[in-house]
Amino acid sequence: MSGAVRAVDVTVARGGQLLVERFDLAVAPGGAAVVTGPNGVGKSSLLRVLAGLLRPTAGHVEREGTVAWMGEAAALDPECALADALAFWAAQDARALPEVRVAAALDAMLLGDLADVPVRFLSTGQRRRAALARVVASGADLWLLDEPASGLDVGAVERLEQLIAGHRATGGAVVVATHQPLALPDAAGVAL
Ligand SMILES: Nc1ncnc2c1ncn2[C@@H]1O[C@H](COP(=O)(O)OP(=O)(O)OP(=O)(O)O)[C@@H](O)[C@H]1O
């Protein structure tokens, strides 16, 4: 696995407001960056630019590998059992053995007992863990995570930190926007 992202001289403006000006960032395979700053400063917007979902006003972004994006909504079918909803996306990602990937991702986020429960019954924190399981099951090289720890209990935050460490150990790259402190060794800090 080899994931990476590089932002070169990136400027981001939204709604006539300058959010990020002449920004540079390089996250190599195995690397991580943590984006912090007050509400409305532009963290999500920057992550969207890194993902290619939003065009920068100036500058450019280079990505290496496949990308998993985790935003506010998990986009898991509320009527489906959790494992089936995750398997749908794992299959879209054209990876081999989606069911095996989903089972491993559910285990990784301690959701195995909820595999057959419809998504609409999940609690806030369980939904967040399900969204993370979707990222894990995607097998993507570059993870872009917007507030992944929001609503998670202490144990789930530790799981998240372990998942990110494991992803990086295999050559994956991670950029996280967060208000909550996360233990991500050697991560580059980006304070907006
Ligand atoms: N589609 C849009 N059109 C115009 N302005 C927008 C749009 N989306 C966001 N903004 C504005 O851009 C600014 C940055 O928003 P963004 O969501 O990137 O902030 P953030 O740092 O992630 O905030 P938070 O910590 O609250 O999640 C805010 O002032 C917001 O109102």
Side-chain angles (χ1 to χ4, degrees), residues 65-153:
T66 51
V67 180
W69 161 266
M70 179 186 171
E72 207 170 333
L76 297 172
D77 186 339
E79 302 303 320
C80 269
L82 176 59
D84 295 340
L86 289 168
F88 171 81
W89 286 114
Q92 300 307 311
D93 291 328
R95 302 282 168 168
L97 304 172
E99 284 82 9
V100 174
R101 289 177 163 276
V102 167
L106 287 170
D107 275 352
M109 285 318 294
L110 296 181
L111 287 167
D113 291 348
L114 299 175
D116 298 326
V117 171
V119 169
R120 68 180 187 280
F121 291 161
L122 300 183
S123 73
T124 303
Q126 288 167 346
R127 267 172 215 270
R128 212 68 188 154
R129 282 155 53 193
L132 286 163
R134 183 182 159 190
V135 169
V136 173
S138 76
D141 305 298
L142 170 63
W143 292 1
L144 299 171
L145 311 178
D146 195 358
E147 299 293 350
S150 170
L152 295 186
D153 63 32

Side-chain angles (χ1 to χ4, degrees), residues 12-19 35-48 54 72 146-147 177-179 192:
V12 183
R14 276 188 127 174
Q17 188 187 351
L18 186 62
L19 298 174
V35 184
T36 57
N39 289 138
V41 78
K43 301 180 297 298
S44 299
S45 303
L46 178 59
L47 239 61
R48 284 179 178 279
L54 182 67
E72 207 170 333
D146 195 358
E147 299 293 350
T178 183
H179 287 289
L192 296 184

